[in-house]
Amino acid sequence: MLQLALSPVLVGRQDELSQLEDELLSANRGDGRFVLLAGEAGMGKTRLAKELSHRARRLGCNVLWGSCSEAELALPYLPFVSAPYYVFIGRKA
């Protein structure tokens, strides 16, 4: 039911997506890249990252997915620990 409420079109993030796609294409050519999305809750970071991950997979790239916890306990390295863990258990973003 929730899927029906979400727009399949990314709205208002073309500049950000274009910058991220440039970095993706550079990484795909073999140039080293690290990109960090940061911002307030609800700003669309996850939606933007998912759109980029779909594009990366279409290029044949492997995508690691990590995220922060919403729990009160701060776990600063959780995204870096959870990404390889999800690959290990076979879960995709």
Side-chain angles (χ1 to χ4, degrees), residues 36-84:
L36 177 68
L37 294 177
E40 296 295 321
M43 296 300 292
K45 298 177 299 294
T46 300
R47 178 68 177 89
L48 186 60
K50 284 187 185 261
E51 181 63 31
L52 185 67
S53 73
H54 293 310
R55 293 175 186 219
R57 286 189 179 108
R58 284 195 299 264
L59 288 173
C61 299
N62 293 318
V63 176
L64 298 179
W65 191 269
S67 60
C68 295
S69 171
E70 294 182 22
E72 287 187 31
L73 176 63
L75 301 170
Y77 298 106
L78 184 60
F80 303 103
V81 173
S82 63

Side-chain angles (χ1 to χ4, degrees), residues 14-29 31 33 35 52 55 59:
Q14 290 308 319
D15 291 342
E16 293 88 348
L17 185 58
S18 179
Q19 289 176 334
L20 290 170
E21 201 166 42
D22 288 346
E23 298 302 321
L24 170 62
L25 293 173
S26 292
N28 199 37
R29 287 191 304 268
D31 299 333
R33 290 290 184 263
V35 176
L52 185 67
R55 293 175 186 219
L59 288 173

